[in-house]
Every structure is written in structure tokens, then in C-alpha cells.
């Protein structure tokens, strides 16, 4: 299985990506997905994501490799947008395919939790009033990711 990892400015087509991951496959029994969308909290006009090309893709590759080691995946797609993203637009797409639903669902949860805390992206919020601010890491995201650090049964 060769995972598909992309960091891009342009929007993604979740349906097309799902079809590409499962097309012609008879070994996929479950396909789990997560789509992160930009919210318009507190008058947010846009979210600007920055990254270091190469470094970010390698970090995402390590996260995907960890998922492949933990679960029997038959396919995986991670697309993360960068640049200026408006409310309602997609930010991240995670797809995890496996022969069984539990592996697909668990690995999808793992991937998004670790992407949120371990992939090197810098986020700046731009507001309608012209103000802007950098987004700080959240304890709740760290706690969600930490549950995957515990040994698996």
C-alpha cells in the first residue's frame, strides 16, 4: 500500500479521493473518513496555514507509517491544505481503508489526532475587523492525541 499524502493550496474533492482509494479494490471492507472544515468562530474571515515544504510531508509520512504499523490498512489518503482558507472550506481530508471497519475507524481517529498535534503547520486567524492572531496549541488536542500513546490491548 502506497499512501497518498498531499499538502496543497487548492480545495480537495472528497468524493473523488474516496473513489480513487477504493476503485477496483475487493480487499476494502471499510473506508473511514474525516473532513476538517474552517469554522467562522468569533467573526473569523479566514484561516491562514503555513508550513515548510518537505518537512511537513515527511512528518505526515511518519504519522501515516505509524498508523500502518498499528492497523492493517489497505489504503490511506491525507490531504492538508495550506494558504488562505475561508469559513466553510475544507482544511484536511483523512481517509483510511481496511478490510474491517474497526481498523478503518480507529486509524482514521488516530491519524487526525496526531495530524492536529504533530504535523508542523502554523495557523493564523484573520478577522472581519482586520485583526489577526496566531493559533496556540490546545490542551484538548494534546489530550486526544495522548490516548494513542497508551499501549494497545
Amino acid at each position: 500500500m502506497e499512501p497518498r499524502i498531499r499538502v496543497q493550496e487548492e480545495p480537495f474533492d472528497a468524493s473523488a479521493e474516496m473513489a480513487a482509494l477504493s476503485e477496483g479494490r475487493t480487499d476494502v471492507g471499510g473506508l473511514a473518513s474525516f473532513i476538517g472544515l474552517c469554522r467562522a468562530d468569533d467573526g473569523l474571515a479566514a484561516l491562514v496555514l503555513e508550513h515548510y515544504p518537505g518537512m511537513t510531508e515527511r512528518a505526515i509520512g511518519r504519522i501515516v507509517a505509524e498508523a500502518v504499523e498499528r492497523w492493517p490498512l489497505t489504503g490511506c489518503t491525507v490531504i492538508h491544505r495550506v494558504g488562505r482558507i475561508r469559513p466553510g472550506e475544507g482544511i484536511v481530508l483523512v481517509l483510511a481503508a481496511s478490510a474491517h471497519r474497526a481498523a478503518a475507524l480507529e486509524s482514521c481517529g488516530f491519524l487526525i489526532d496526531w495530524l492536529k498535534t504533530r504535523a508542523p503547520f502554523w495557523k493564523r486567524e484573520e478577522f472581519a475587523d482586520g485583526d489577526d492572531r496566531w493559533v496556540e496549541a490546545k490542551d484538548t488536542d494534546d489530550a486526544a492525541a495522548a490516548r494513542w500513546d497508551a499501549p494497545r490491548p
Side-chain angles (χ1 to χ4, degrees), residues 32 71 96 101-111 147-148 152:
W71 291 277
R101 74 177 180 273
L105 290 167
E106 289 174 12
S107 62
C108 188
F110 165 85
L111 286 162
R147 71 185 170 121
W148 302 107
R152 293 186 49 210

Side-chain angles (χ1 to χ4, degrees), residues 22-76:
S22 61
E23 185 177 358
R25 306 282 301 268
T26 59
D27 59 341
V28 175
L31 177 60
S33 64
F34 176 83
I35 301 170
L37 303 173
C38 181
R39 296 183 314 269
D41 294 347
D42 302 322
L44 185 79
L47 183 63
V48 180
L49 280 85
E50 298 179 9
H51 78 299
Y52 287 113
M55 177 181 154
T56 303
E57 291 83 352
R58 283 190 300 279
I60 294 172
R62 287 190 296 274
I63 294 166
V64 169
E66 179 70 23
V68 170
E69 185 176 310
R70 292 180 182 218
W71 291 277
L73 298 183
T74 56
C76 181

Side-chain angles (χ1 to χ4, degrees), residues 75-119:
C76 181
T77 299
V78 175
I79 301 172
H80 206 298
R81 292 187 58 206
V82 293
R84 195 164 195 270
I85 301 168
R86 296 185 180 280
E89 293 182 347
I91 300 169
V92 62
L93 172 67
V94 175
L95 302 174
S98 183
H100 303 284
R101 74 177 180 273
L105 290 167
E106 289 174 12
S107 62
C108 188
F110 165 85
L111 286 162
I112 194 58
D113 285 344
W114 274 27
L115 282 169
K116 186 82 171 159
T117 58
R118 299 185 182 186

